[in-house]
Amino acid sequence: KINSVGNKLTIGVTAPIAGMGVAAIKSATDYESAFTGVRKTTDMTEEELQKVSRAFRDRALEMPATAEEIAGVGEAAGQLGIQNEHIVSFTRSMIDLGEATADLSSEEAATQLAQFANITQMSQKDFDRLGSTIVELGNNSATTEGKIVEMGQRLAGKQVGMSEADIMGIATALSSVGIEAQAGGSAFSKVMVNMQLAAEKGGDELADFAKVAGMSATDFAKKYKEDAAGALTAFVGGLGRMEDSGQSAIKVLDDMGITEVRMRDALLRASGAGDLLADSIKLGNDAWAENTALTKEAATRYETTESKMKMSQ
C-alpha cells in the first residue's frame, strides 16, 4: 500500500512539480535572453536596467503578454531612439495598442509610431495620446488602425503646420474612402505641400485655392497660418460643392495645374465624402485631448477569459 501511494505521489505530484521547475527555469532564461536586447540597445546604468526589468515583469501580470514579449518591444524602443525615461511607458502603450487592435501588432506599432514621432518631432511623452487617437478613429470609421497608421506615415502633415491628431484624422478620412497609403497618401501630401507654398508665396496659386474654399486670398492665407487643417478642409469641402453650382471639379483641378492622376483621385474621393474629412479631424483632436480611448479599449480586452488565462500563465 505504501508503495502504491508512493507511485501515485510520484506521478501526480513530484513529476508535475519537477516539470514546473523546468518550465520556470526555461522561462527565466528566456526572459534573461530577451532582456539582453534592452541592454544592447540602450545606454542605461545597471540600476536603471534593474528598474526597467522589474517594471516589465510586473507588466506581464497585468496584461496578456509575456515578459519576453514586453522585453522585445523594449528592445525595439531602444533601437528606435526612445529615450530611457520613456521606454517603460512607450512599451506599455505599444502592448496596449497591439492588444486593442486587430491588424497592428505591438512590434509593428512600436516601429511605425516611433518613426512617425521622429518625422513629426512629437514629444515622447505623448505616445499614449497618439495611441488613443488611433484607437478612437479606428473604432468610429470605415477603416482599421493599421491602415490609419500606414497612411499617417505617408502624410507630411507636421511639415505643413498640422498636429499629430490632424494628421491621423486626415489619414482616417483618406483610408476610409479606399485610398491606398503608398500611392494616395504620397499624392495627398503633395497637395498639402502645394497649399502651404501657395499660402506663403501668394499669387495665382493662392487665389485658386482660396476661390475653391470660398474665401479671399488674404483670408485663406490667414486661415492656413492659424489652422492648416481647417484650410485644407475648407478647400476639400469647396471642391465637393462644385457640382452643386454646375461646375466640374475635375476641370477646376485641371485649371489649377493638379493633373497628376493620383493627386486628383485622392482629392475627388475626399471631396465626395461630404463632411468626413472635417469630422475625422475633429474626432482625432478630441481623442488626443481626452487621452482615454486606448486605456479603455485595452482594459476591455484584458477582461476576457483568454486574456486572464494568459496573465495567470
Side-chain angles (χ1 to χ4, degrees), residues 241-257:
R241 292 189 293 272
M242 286 290 151
E243 299 295 337
D244 296 337
S245 59
Q247 301 180 67
S248 167
I250 295 177
K251 185 179 185 306
V252 169
L253 292 176
D254 189 68
D255 291 342
M256 293 178 65

Side-chain angles (χ1 to χ4, degrees), residues 17-286:
I17 289 176
M20 289 173 64
V22 171
I25 292 170
K26 185 178 185 306
S27 178
T29 55
D30 286 348
Y31 175 72
E32 184 180 32
S33 297
F35 194 75
T36 298
V38 181
R39 291 179 178 275
K40 292 191 299 184
T41 60
T42 66
D43 58 355
M44 292 185 191
T45 64
E46 187 59 33
E47 182 180 359
E48 289 174 323
L49 285 167
Q50 290 301 321
K51 288 181 179 179
V52 170
S53 179
R54 171 54 61 188
F56 285 174
R57 294 200 300 273
D58 288 345
R59 291 288 182 272
L61 303 177
E62 303 169 359
M63 53 179 60
T66 66
E68 296 86 66
E69 292 169 340
I70 297 172
V73 177
E75 177 182 356
Q79 290 175 326
L80 293 163
I82 302 301
Q83 297 162 1
N84 292 346
E85 62 266 32
H86 298 304
I87 282 182
V88 172
S89 60
F90 172 84
T91 302
R92 173 65 188 255
S93 294
M94 296 307 108
I95 295 290
D96 282 350
L97 200 53
E99 293 294 332
T101 60
D103 66 336
L104 195 63
S105 70
S106 299
E107 292 79 7
E108 290 170 337
T111 300
Q112 294 186 48
L113 296 192
Q115 291 172 347
F116 178 83
N118 289 336
I119 294 170
T120 61
Q121 296 298 297
M122 186 188 84
S123 170
Q124 294 189 358
K125 296 186 295 184
D126 290 332
F127 278 109
D128 55 345
R129 292 186 181 277
L130 183 60
S132 288
T133 301
I134 293 166
V135 167
E136 185 71 6
L137 288 167
N139 284 345
N140 294 279
S141 62
T143 187
T144 65
E145 291 85 356
K147 290 182 178 179
I148 293 171
V149 172
E150 185 181 5
M151 180 69 79
Q153 282 191 297
R154 296 282 177 177
L155 299 175
K158 189 68 172 184
Q159 298 171 3
V160 292
M162 296 183 190
S163 70
E164 292 82 9
D166 289 338
I167 297 169
M168 289 304 176
I170 296 168
T172 300
L174 296 181
S175 57
S176 292
V177 294
I179 297 174
E180 295 294 330
Q182 187 170 2
S186 298
F188 206 84
S189 292
K190 293 178 184 178
V191 175
M192 292 159 64
V193 171
N194 290 347
M195 188 178 294
Q196 180 195 28
L197 292 174
E200 291 176 355
K201 295 180 178 180
D204 293 340
E205 290 81 5
L206 175 60
D208 289 338
F209 279 113
K211 182 178 179 181
V212 174
M215 304 180 189
S216 68
T218 302
D219 288 343
F220 188 83
K222 181 181 179 182
K223 177 70 172 176
Y224 191 91
K225 184 177 180 180
E226 296 174 351
D227 179 14
L232 175 66
T233 300
F235 172 73
V236 172
L239 196 63
R241 292 189 293 272
M242 286 290 151
E243 299 295 337
D244 296 337
S245 59
Q247 301 180 67
S248 167
I250 295 177
K251 185 179 185 306
V252 169
L253 292 176
D254 189 68
D255 291 342
M256 293 178 65
I258 301 177
T259 57
E260 201 272 315
V261 175
R262 289 172 177 171
M263 292 174 67
R264 191 169 61 188
D265 179 62
L267 281 169
L268 292 175
R269 288 198 191 197
S271 66
D275 296 327
L276 178 62
L277 181 61
D279 291 344
S280 296
I281 292 173
K282 183 180 185 305
L283 181 63
N285 279 279
D286 288 346

